[in-house]
Amino acid sequence: NFDLYLPGASWLHRLDPRVKLLLVVEGTVFLFLWPQVAAAAAMLLVAHALLRSARVPWSRIGALWRLVLPLTLLIPALWLIFQPGPEPSLWAWGPLRLTMSAFERGVAVALRLDALAFLMFLWLFTTSQAELVRGLAALGMPYTWSLTLSLALRYLPTVAGLYQQVVDAQRARGLDLDHGPLRRRLQAYQPILVAVLISALRLSQGLAWSLEARGLGASTARRSTYSRPRRNDSTELFCRTSAS
């Protein structure tokens, strides 16, 4: 299941999606107004507490951490290399200099991005695609825009899962993607990308047909609804006479 939404009955699931979006925006503003390490760490802890209050399993939280961990480690390292600052060096090796201020700034930026990611995924974990579309449309966004965003959130993880399936299938057939020169490894990815592209085109064609069958974009036609037919007086009189 590649859908980000986790069905549940917690208070965050019952909360209006516009209110949850407002909480995400407020958290983002807070992180940019107070860029200190303590503020970013506090917001990250709050995001974890909210995720657990929504009964999000630890496996999903761990998967999210595995997704953001490489960037979390890379940002402080790049900050130390390119923005060491004028302070005295705690450690130096050639052009690399380690200063406490650069390390603190790099950690603050990394924790800020982690907190933003967890806040955004908190909104996506507890909001279904239908609620997301209705909430964004209620805020004034065109229905086609909100529907496009919802479909992207729904099918991008599906395409990523499809890519992983193709990679596993090719490796089971003996394709080596981890050894050899860079040019050879890039060439080995060509059949994988072709298979993923063909599958994505088939998926988009089926999605387009389903949306067309539901009348998406038919602005001139009036949407029809089903209503249960009411019995007339003669039918009711016949039923009463038969029953008596």
Side-chain angles (χ1 to χ4, degrees):
N1 184 16
F2 298 104
D3 193 357
L4 297 178
Y5 173 64
L6 295 175
S10 65
W11 66 277
L12 277 173
H13 287 84
R14 298 190 301 268
L15 197 62
D16 192 285
R18 293 170 293 179
V19 178
K20 286 184 280 190
L21 179 60
L22 179 61
L23 293 176
V24 174
V25 173
E26 290 179 350
T28 304
V29 173
F30 172 82
L31 289 172
F32 279 97
L33 290 180
W34 287 275
Q36 292 80 8
V37 176
M43 184 59 67
L44 190 60
L45 292 176
V46 169
H48 278 75
L50 292 175
L51 285 171
R52 289 302 300 163
S53 67
R55 295 180 177 87
V56 175
W58 286 110
S59 59
R60 282 296 184 97
I61 299 177
L64 184 54
W65 265 116
R66 288 192 296 270
L67 181 64
V68 301
L69 187 59
L71 188 62
T72 304
L73 298 177
L74 182 63
I75 289 176
L78 293 177
W79 205 279
L80 291 173
I81 295 174
F82 295 103
Q83 294 290 336
E87 297 181 356
S89 301
L90 300 177
W91 175 83
W93 184 66
L96 303 180
R97 295 174 52 243
L98 175 62
T99 61
M100 184 57 64
S101 62
F103 179 74
E104 290 179 355
R105 290 194 299 268
V107 171
V109 172
L111 291 179
R112 193 188 312 166
L113 292 179
D114 292 340
L116 290 174
F118 275 90
L119 286 175
M120 181 57 66
F121 274 91
L122 173 66
W123 183 41
L124 299 178
F125 282 159
T126 59
T127 308
S128 64
Q129 279 76 23
E131 293 177 350
L132 181 64
V133 172
R134 287 195 296 266
L136 294 178
L139 291 175
M141 181 179 292
Y143 180 80
T144 54
W145 294 10
S146 55
L147 181 61
T148 301
L149 176 60
S150 175
L151 292 175
L153 295 175
R154 173 62 183 88
Y155 285 100
L156 283 179
T158 303
V159 175
L162 179 63
Y163 167 79
Q164 188 61 42
Q165 291 177 3
V166 175
V167 169
D168 294 340
Q170 292 294 336
R171 283 178 172 171
R173 291 171 173 81
L175 183 63
D176 188 8
L177 301 174
D178 301 325
H179 301 88
L182 179 61
R183 182 178 179 181
R184 181 180 177 183
R185 283 184 288 174
L186 291 177
Q187 291 177 351
Y189 276 97
Q190 291 181 0
I192 297 176
L193 296 178
V194 170
V196 172
L197 180 60
I198 294 175
S199 300
L201 290 175
R202 290 177 178 175
L203 180 64
S204 62
Q205 185 182 34
L207 180 61
W209 285 345
S210 63
L211 293 176
E212 185 179 2
R214 288 164 173 80
L216 181 66
S219 58
T220 58
R222 184 176 181 182
R223 186 180 181 91
S224 60
T225 58
Y226 172 78
S227 59
R228 186 175 181 180
R230 297 181 60 184
R231 297 181 299 180
N232 52 26
D233 297 338
S234 60
T235 305
E236 293 181 358
L237 179 61
F238 174 77
C239 294
R240 292 177 184 176
T241 305
S242 301
S244 60

